[in-house]
Amino acid sequence: MIDVILHKAIEGKRLSIEEGVALFESDLLHKIGRAASELSHRINEGRVYFVVNRHINPTNICVNRCKFCAFSRSKGEEGAYELGIEDILEKVNASPADLKELHIVGGLHPDWDITYYETLLREIKKVRPQVHIKAFTAVEIDYLANRSNLTIEDTLKRLKDSGLDAMPGGGAEIFNNSTRSKLCPEKITSDRWLEIHRTAHGLGIKTNATMLYGHIESFKDRVEHLLALRDLQSETNGFQAFVPLPYHPENTYITTRYPSGIDDLKTIAISRLILNNIPHIKAYWIMLGEKLTQVALCFGADDIDGTVIEERITHSAGAQTEEGLSRERLVDLIKRASRIPVERDALYNVVKIYK
Ligand code: V47
Ligand code: SF4
């Protein structure tokens, strides 16, 4: 049964819900990983991508306060912060000269509207015109649109005109409505998340997609989530990468367990097999750790994100990884997995191939 499913996937055929669930329920990790690796090779020919990037989180003040988020604070609470435009420009100016991407996401600030973000994008582009800005989850876009009385389309158009180059994949969590209503009832619905990404793709804004796993969701929830992304990709072709996010439980209120390494590898491999129309599967080293990330490159992943420099969201929830890694360390990690390191920008243009 598993052999038949894997053969179908390697041939580029679409797997069904039942087939996806059967893969998650199987303990044939090696076989699943091998098939995913074969498919990955067919798509990316042994290349593994990374970017010299930096994270910036303008504020941790958030009106949502999702139960799984250890990063957010309420206004006035101890540890709450908000960065002014000047504070952010200082971070941008202090970044390496060869920086290619800024990844900017943050909380839903009760007092900020779209003008803060437009100014932020324009000021960054003034000092670093060549850097791509990958910013704002669909959750932030929805909030900004509502606060500023704009449609999603107009919100995205204004941000694009101000310098937005691409969007990250956060806020997707898990799409199944019943599980989502237990995990994060305050968050936008899955239909809204998908609609915002559809609109972004229509405006020529490439985006990523994520899935938060290892909390209260079922295998069926995971497969449904992947199939919804595959369907949207068939329609728009606007997703660049899929990033599975393993749950980190410290300082959160959902569960106390981390997903196992086996689950991490299986989730990456099955994502590759199901999402055969999304070009890249990202093993996010910040969440997986350096060593498991390296192994994930033999289980279907072909991207490891980037240098990152200052990561707060996962580190608030227990991540033990460094807050950033050098380009040399990323190249070494990829080479020692017998893959070809390819430095990219936020839109997957090749910057340099490390033979
Ligand atoms: O949306 C929050 C997740 C996301 C926890 O698109 C948690 O390239 C685990 O989306 N345990 C933000 N995860 C991060 C994100 C991302 C990161 C790197 C690259 C890209 C990309 C996107 O972090 C949130 C949420 O799903 N998150 N709390 C937690 N306790
Ligand atoms: Fe706010 Fe995002 Fe954290 Fe939820 S996950 S509390 S929306 S910052």
Side-chain angles (χ1 to χ4, degrees), residues 62 64-66 68-69 71-72 106-108 139 173 187:
C62 187
N64 264 12
R65 301 307 310 270
C66 304
F68 61 78
C69 176
F71 162 75
S72 65
L108 310 179
V139 179
E173 321 311 359
K187 208 155 233 174

